[in-house]
Amino acid sequence: MTEKIKIKDVTPVKIEKSAVQITKPSYSARNRIYVRKVQGAFETFRRLFGFIFLGIFAIGPWISYAGQQAILFDLAEQRFNIFGLTLWPQDLTLLAYTLIVSAFALFFITTFAGRVWCGFMCPQTTWTYIFIWFEEKTEGARNKRIKLDQRKMDVDKFIRKAAKHTAWVLVALLTSLTFVGYFVPINELFIDFFTLNVGFWAGFWVIFFTVCTYGNAGYMREIMCTHMCPYARFQSAMFDKDTFTVAYDANRGEKRGPRSRKLSSDEVKQKGLGDCVDCNLCVQVCPTGIDIRNGLQYECINCGACVDACNGVMEKMGYAKNLISFNSEHQLAGGETKIIRPKLVAYAFVLAVMSTLLVWDVVSRVPLEVDIIRDRNSLDRETVDGLIENVYTLKILNKGQSTQTYTIKVKGLENATYFGDKELTVEGGGVYTLPISVAVNPMQIEAGTKQIYFHVQTIGDNDNVIEVEEPTTFIYTGV
């Protein structure tokens, strides 16, 4: 045992406080983004598109059809009125088809043209730009807004800030009232709200959505797009090298650097410079504050603002446009973009199939539903006349918006006697519950179970007859 055991010295070392380095947190505070105003083809198209959808949203609940609000999602009555169509919880397949069609339409558009939904049609983007417009009108252009926020509070700053926030609150309130007006009769909502007679829940949701709109479009803005919206996270799964996205042509733009307009293209090349003048306008106009020259980023919403800004600079410099453009990875690498490809075709096929099913379900939909409930207390019973009787409860749902009169008949059982109303009237969207019974002579039926049908049909309009035959069972125990 001549070998020595190695011993590690673990004596604690005293560390002076002055030698301790305080590390900074691994995150940085959010820097406010001051979006610069931009003009160009994409900005004009985005504004036009935004005005169209904003107009549809604002006018939608005010349209009347057949004497009532054309679009009303009445949650209290559990029915949705869409012009002449009334949907009930029983019409769940229509909702499922609509959601599936919307999802695959989004997948198709994203695979083809990237995140254009976010840049041109998303309500968050539209309302953010509306709020920015009021911000520009009250506080000035980008540089003025930066200086205003750096300045101490004075009378001028207070007036400008108060005007901006007043405008934001009014826009948020009108937005909230309009949105809630899709679920509550909008004429009554506006009158009751401004006369302080609105119900608790209607008033609660108006205030709730006002606060949400004010916070989302006024303060959170790009945070909604980059951190809260799930679409930003899973959109990359739908991208491929042929997807059109806003991209910077690094081969043409690098090396970046400022230069005089008087320099010829040969002099610029001798300095080793590309077409990018490094003006940073593409960053200043971006609503999410990214630099598109750093490559594809999930924060990019494909609004095209940087394309317009860069094209304006290229035009002033006398260079070719589209240094930043909607492009595919293949095209930037010198190849060709494949428009028709398996993924896109698959999305288009599923979208076409589901859209067809949705249209077929709407067209073939019958605005009448009959539900039959058997009496569970007894399978059958004998009447004082010696007949065998089964008792049922009919629920007749008029899915239309106008009052209808129906006749009721029993089919499938010969010489059957029907006890109950044979004609009834149901108002639009109403449910009529009718207890009835069917009886038959025991000498004319064998013991067991027999299928019968209740035939319900409209009367009064021979050109538009609506009829439903609902099956049920007639039971004779033979005891």
Side-chain angles (χ1 to χ4, degrees):
M1 298 296 291
T2 58
E3 295 182 2
K4 294 182 178 180
I5 299 174
K6 295 181 179 180
I7 300 175
K8 184 178 180 180
D9 187 4
V10 293
T11 304
V13 179
K14 184 177 181 181
I15 302 175
E16 299 293 335
K17 291 184 178 180
S18 58
V20 178
Q21 294 182 353
I22 302 175
T23 59
K24 295 182 178 180
S26 57
Y27 62 90
S28 59
R30 174 202 178 200
N31 294 321
R32 181 176 176 186
I33 298 174
Y34 296 86
V35 180
R36 185 187 184 113
K37 185 177 180 180
V38 64
Q39 293 181 343
F42 287 106
E43 178 67 12
T44 301
F45 180 74
R46 186 192 58 74
R47 288 188 180 185
L48 177 62
F49 221 64
F51 279 129
I52 292 174
F53 277 91
L54 184 62
I56 294 173
F57 168 77
I59 297 173
W62 294 100
I63 300 174
S64 296
Y65 182 85
Q68 57 184 348
Q69 188 170 323
I71 305 174
L72 179 61
F73 305 118
D74 195 339
L75 298 179
E77 297 294 333
Q78 296 185 352
R79 65 178 178 181
F80 296 165
N81 293 334
I82 305 175
F83 290 88
L85 183 66
T86 302
L87 303 179
W88 298 85
Q90 294 87 342
D91 298 309
L92 187 62
T93 54
L94 281 175
L95 176 61
Y97 285 145
T98 302
L99 294 177
I100 293 173
V101 167
S102 301
F104 276 95
L106 186 63
F107 298 161
F108 177 82
I109 291 296
T110 304
T111 302
F112 179 74
R115 205 176 167 185
V116 290
W117 158 263
C118 297
F120 292 88
M121 291 185 290
C122 178
Q124 173 67 23
T125 302
T126 302
W127 262 259
T128 295
Y129 274 111
I130 292 173
F131 275 48
I132 290 176
W133 185 84
F134 281 103
E135 198 171 55
E136 290 176 345
K137 294 301 179 182
T138 54
E139 296 182 0
R142 179 178 183 271
N143 292 335
K144 291 183 178 179
R145 298 201 303 272
I146 294 175
K147 292 179 180 179
L148 183 68
D149 284 346
Q150 293 173 346
R151 203 169 76 197
K152 291 184 178 180
M153 183 61 69
D154 54 25
V155 176
D156 177 65
K157 183 175 180 178
F158 177 80
I159 293 175
R160 291 180 181 276
K161 291 290 183 181
K164 179 185 74 172
H165 288 284
T166 300
W168 282 5
V169 170
L170 290 176
V171 172
L173 179 60
L174 288 175
T175 300
S176 179
L177 284 167
T178 303
F179 180 73
V180 176
Y182 280 93
F183 302 89
V184 178
I186 195 165
N187 290 319
E188 300 174 8
L189 176 65
F190 265 75
I191 295 173
D192 291 343
F193 184 82
F194 289 108
T195 57
L196 303 180
N197 291 321
V198 68
F200 172 78
W201 284 112
F204 169 81
W205 289 117
V206 168
I207 300 299
F208 176 80
F209 287 116
T210 298
V211 173
C212 288
T213 305
Y214 175 81
N216 291 347
Y219 290 97
M220 300 185 72
R221 294 184 180 177
E222 80 283 354
I223 292 179
M224 295 293 297
C225 302
T226 57
H227 297 293
M228 300 184 69
C229 178
Y231 182 44
R233 300 296 178 175
F234 69 76
Q235 62 169 332
S236 59
M238 291 170 277
F239 280 18
D240 55 36
K241 293 185 178 181
D242 294 299
T243 299
F244 288 100
T245 59
V246 173
Y248 166 70
D249 189 350
N251 294 327
R252 175 186 157 191
E254 300 297 325
K255 178 182 175 185
R256 316 170 195 169
R259 78 289 306 271
S260 172
R261 294 187 192 178
K262 299 179 181 179
L263 291 178
S264 64
S265 58
D266 292 336
E267 291 174 324
V268 171
K269 290 179 181 179
Q270 288 176 1
K271 290 188 175 184
L273 297 176
D275 283 356
C276 179
V277 301
D278 203 19
C279 61
N280 278 333
L281 284 182
C282 57
V283 180
Q284 294 177 19
V285 301
C286 179
T288 59
I290 65 170
D291 189 342
I292 195 63
R293 296 171 296 180
N294 293 334
L296 180 63
Q297 298 153 74
Y298 76 89
E299 296 94 341
C300 177
I301 61 173
N302 273 22
C303 63
C306 56
V307 178
D308 287 333
C310 187
N311 283 342
V313 174
M314 293 295 103
E315 189 175 2
K316 291 178 181 178
M317 296 298 297
Y319 299 162
K321 293 183 179 181
N322 295 326
L323 176 60
I324 301 175
S325 63
F326 277 86
N327 233 323
S328 69
E329 190 175 341
H330 273 155
Q331 196 167 347
L332 287 174
E336 294 183 359
T337 303
K338 296 179 181 179
I339 301 296
I340 301 176
R341 49 195 189 273
K343 183 191 291 188
L344 198 63
V345 171
Y347 284 142
F349 175 76
V350 176
L351 179 60
V353 170
M354 299 310 299
S355 299
T356 303
L357 291 175
L358 174 60
V359 173
W360 173 257
D361 203 353
V362 172
V363 171
S364 61
R365 179 178 176 272
V366 178
L368 170 63
E369 183 169 321
V370 178
D371 190 17
I372 304 173
I373 304 173
R374 280 186 52 86
D375 184 7
R376 297 180 182 231
N377 293 326
S378 63
L379 297 179
D380 63 352
R381 65 187 182 188
E382 186 176 352
T383 67
V384 294
D385 297 328
L387 302 178
I388 301 302
E389 183 182 52
N390 281 200
V391 179
Y392 309 89
T393 299
L394 262 66
K395 287 191 175 182
I396 299 175
L397 170 61
N398 180 5
K399 293 184 177 181
Q401 296 181 0
S402 59
T403 302
Q404 294 284 359
T405 302
Y406 304 98
T407 59
I408 303 173
K409 297 178 182 178
V410 179
K411 292 184 177 181
L413 192 61
E414 295 182 2
N415 301 318
T417 303
Y418 172 85
F419 297 97
D421 295 337
K422 296 182 180 179
E423 185 177 309
L424 52 89
T425 300
V426 185
E427 62 182 8
V431 180
Y432 195 100
T433 302
L434 176 66
I436 62 172
S437 62
V438 177
V440 67
N441 192 323
M443 302 298 294
Q444 297 177 345
I445 187 174
E446 297 180 357
T449 300
K450 186 173 180 60
Q451 190 172 50
I452 63 173
Y453 301 87
F454 284 97
H455 182 86
V456 182
Q457 178 179 319
T458 57
I459 60 175
D461 188 357
N462 295 327
D463 295 331
N464 298 298
V465 176
I466 302 170
E467 55 184 343
V468 171
E469 250 183 29
E470 189 69 17
T472 187
T473 56
F474 184 91
I475 301 175
Y476 175 38
T477 58
V479 179

